[in-house]
Amino acid sequence: MPKSEKLNRREFISSAATIAASISIVPSSVIAGTGHIPPSDQLTVANVGCGTQGLREMSSLLTNPKIRVVAVCDVNKFSTDYIDWSPYGIRNDIRKTIGDDSWWEGKPGIPGGRDIGQEYVEKYYAKNKASGKYKSCVSYEDYRELFAKEKGIDAVKIMTPDHTHAPIALAAMDAKMHVVTHKPIANRLLEGRKVIQKAKDSGLVSHLLAWSDRPEYRQIKAWMDAGLIGELQEIHNWSYRPVWQQWTKIPTEAQPIPEGFNWQLWLSSVPDMPYHKNYTHNVFRGWYEFGGGSVADMGHYSLFPLFETLGIDRSPVSARAFGTTTREEINQVYQWVKNDVAFPASCLIKWKFPEQESLPGFDLFWYDGGMKPFACEELEEDGNDTPEEGLLIVGSKGKILGGFRGENPVLLPESKMMKGRDSERINSREVDRKTDQWVEAMLEGKQTPGSFTRAQCITDTINLGAIALRAGKKVDFDSNLVKITNDEAANQFLTREYRKGWEI
């Protein structure tokens, strides 16, 4: 293949003096099919994880002229058995991005795997080349091999199951690569702490994709700072999720490992166990071993930017949780099923937070699976009920209600408290949110507002909630000692049993 297609940002910078001596304008032949931005101004990215979400977000990487996707990685070579929210969503996204309405025509199922990821990248870049050909996206099964062999990568985007986020992030930073990851940073509290500390020590740029700029939260803070609801007492946040199937027992039947799927690599740090389709391909999140439940899936989106806006950076001192119970018929008798392997179908979690720099101590409540708080008096006064999803800020003198991520916030009761405040209303549908600030930050070597270094409180909070669910009792947490102080047995949930050679 032409050497120009192999030119990467690091090579470009290191040889800049030599190039400058011979040419004054970067020729289009060295631009890797992504417009006319020279490699020195591009971020070379390896995308690790080519399942549904990895492919869904690929378009934003490919269409950003400041990014050049140079590698993909996935333990699955290729299959069409992925589960998604739409039968044609992934297919249609790829068609639109590569400009080919016939792509995947007449083929069954929902595609995914590293072969699809590589094809996606190369088809997109090929359409912008005069030759109509592009074959410079490398593909790997094992991210460790990728990081060892490919030296020209600036950043790694992690789009894999929750339990693999920490080992991949740590390996990427060991290889001096910047890291952007889907939530959570880790699905174990101690792993999260280690990744965050590595980000601090390395000085590399990191970004948790759940962060977003939310003007709604700034409006909420302005109302709080003005004393309109008094002192903060409680925060309530609720989601209708999970939308995936939940299980209560480890599968007992044996299933053959699909061809082209590296089950041992998928397990990563988790000790060996038999393969089952109920673990993989977008249904991993409900298992304690592999996922973080609905609170990790959605709570990061709503709570991380809220914590940042309100100045909440001191981790909770305790957590208590309840989940739905399950019964099954055994020998003509219904018996309670002890579920210690997966998140419940619905749950309620309460965290107690200490005093913050500018806030008093408060309680945070999470509800999911159809659970939500009853309508408060102020809502009933206006003839309204609690919405399906939402955020409620409770103060000593008043309340603020918004959508799940604080969308369209109002003071309650709205009929009285929002009179004359039309200029303060925010129509969240009109808010322009930047989702790729991490690109500019990494090119400039600056931390983002969603940096791992700012995410310890939210990471502790989410994982402590899971610990409370698994412990089945209130757990007291010492953030400095990183220890459950009232139940020694619960400390096992701070970490995991590691497969030999995969220890973190």
Side-chain angles (χ1 to χ4, degrees), residues 489-501:
N491 282 291
Q492 67 181 304
F493 303 130
L494 290 167
T495 183
R496 71 170 83 245
E497 179 186 352
Y498 288 99
R499 176 203 299 268
K500 187 176 181 180

Side-chain angles (χ1 to χ4, degrees), residues 217 235-239 298-299 302-303 364-368 373 390-392 403-405:
Y217 287 165
I235 298 174
H236 298 256
N237 196 202
W238 58 99
S239 169
M298 297 304 295
S302 53
L303 297 175
L364 169 63
F365 296 84
W366 169 266
Y367 316 72
D368 63 29
L391 176 73
L392 181 69
F404 176 73
R405 306 186 204 191

Side-chain angles (χ1 to χ4, degrees), residues 4 26 62 73 153 167 212 231 241 268 281 292 294 300 320 322 419 447 481:
S4 61
V26 179
L62 296 174
C73 179
I153 296 171
S212 63
E231 284 199 338
R241 302 212 178 198
S268 184
H281 289 21
S294 297
H300 281 88
R320 182 71 170 107
F322 302 100
K419 282 185 176 179
Q447 291 298 335
L481 296 176

Side-chain angles (χ1 to χ4, degrees), residues 11-321:
E11 292 169 345
F12 184 91
I13 292 173
S14 65
S15 59
T18 303
I19 295 173
S22 59
I23 57 174
S24 59
I25 299 175
V26 179
S28 60
S29 62
V30 302
I31 310 305
T34 55
H36 297 283
I37 292 182
S40 58
D41 294 331
Q42 285 183 317
L43 192 72
T44 54
V45 174
N47 190 89
V48 181
C50 298
T52 55
Q53 196 64 23
L55 294 177
R56 181 177 288 108
E57 294 189 15
M58 186 73 78
S59 175
S60 63
L61 298 181
L62 296 174
T63 57
N64 188 328
K66 293 194 174 183
I67 290 176
R68 181 158 53 102
V69 181
V70 297
V72 296
C73 179
D74 200 291
V75 301
N76 184 33
K77 178 175 173 58
F78 165 79
S79 66
T80 61
D81 56 349
Y82 284 80
I83 297 174
D84 199 26
W85 324 127
S86 162
Y88 304 117
I90 299 296
R91 182 201 70 178
N92 292 342
D93 285 347
I94 295 176
R95 284 181 173 185
K96 181 179 179 180
T97 304
I98 65 176
D100 180 1
D101 289 339
S102 67
W103 188 85
W104 206 252
E105 189 68 38
K107 297 180 181 179
I110 297 174
R114 61 182 181 275
D115 283 1
I116 294 293
Q118 183 183 38
E119 179 185 352
Y120 191 179
V121 173
E122 294 187 338
K123 279 185 176 293
Y124 177 78
Y125 289 148
K127 77 173 187 175
N128 292 314
K129 292 184 70 66
S131 65
K133 297 179 181 180
Y134 185 86
K135 295 292 181 182
S136 292
C137 176
V138 294
S139 173
Y140 286 87
E141 179 183 66
D142 190 334
Y143 67 87
R144 297 168 300 179
E145 183 182 6
L146 165 63
F147 297 166
K149 290 184 176 179
E150 302 298 324
K151 301 302 182 182
I153 296 171
D154 295 315
V156 175
K157 188 179 184 188
I158 302 172
M159 303 296 294
T160 57
D162 296 357
H163 70 292
T164 63
H165 290 186
I168 296 173
L170 289 169
M173 287 187 282
D174 281 341
K176 309 302 181 186
M177 300 172 186
H178 304 305
V179 178
V180 55
T181 187
H182 234 296
K183 77 296 178 201
I185 288 176
N187 75 332
R188 293 294 187 274
L189 195 148
L190 276 175
E191 287 185 6
R193 285 290 187 104
K194 290 177 180 180
V195 173
I196 291 167
Q197 190 59 51
K198 181 72 173 180
K200 292 177 179 178
D201 294 343
S202 69
L204 292 160
V205 180
S206 57
H207 183 72
L208 179 58
L209 284 165
W211 180 87
S212 63
D213 180 39
R214 308 209 70 82
E216 304 94 328
Y217 287 165
R218 292 197 290 274
Q219 180 60 71
I220 289 172
K221 185 178 188 301
W223 287 337
M224 293 172 67
D225 289 346
L228 297 182
I229 66 168
E231 284 199 338
L232 175 64
Q233 295 180 334
E234 298 172 354
I235 298 174
H236 298 256
N237 196 202
W238 58 99
S239 169
Y240 62 76
R241 302 212 178 198
V243 296
W244 53 86
Q245 187 174 350
Q246 299 285 91
W247 288 274
T248 57
K249 290 183 175 181
I250 294 293
T252 56
E253 72 275 20
Q255 289 190 342
I257 299 172
E259 183 180 354
F261 186 84
N262 192 322
W263 171 240
Q264 295 300 313
L265 282 180
W266 191 93
L267 281 173
S268 184
S269 303
V270 176
D272 194 22
M273 59 192 296
Y275 166 84
H276 198 282
K277 67 181 181 63
N278 290 351
Y279 297 136
T280 67
H281 289 21
N282 209 12
V283 294
F284 61 86
R285 192 166 280 115
W287 299 98
Y288 285 137
E289 199 69 77
F290 307 124
S294 297
V295 66
D297 181 30
M298 297 304 295
H300 281 88
Y301 289 120
S302 53
L303 297 175
F304 185 22
L306 183 68
F307 283 9
E308 286 293 283
T309 303
L310 298 186
I312 300 170
D313 59 6
R314 295 171 185 169
S315 297
V317 296
S318 70
R320 182 71 170 107

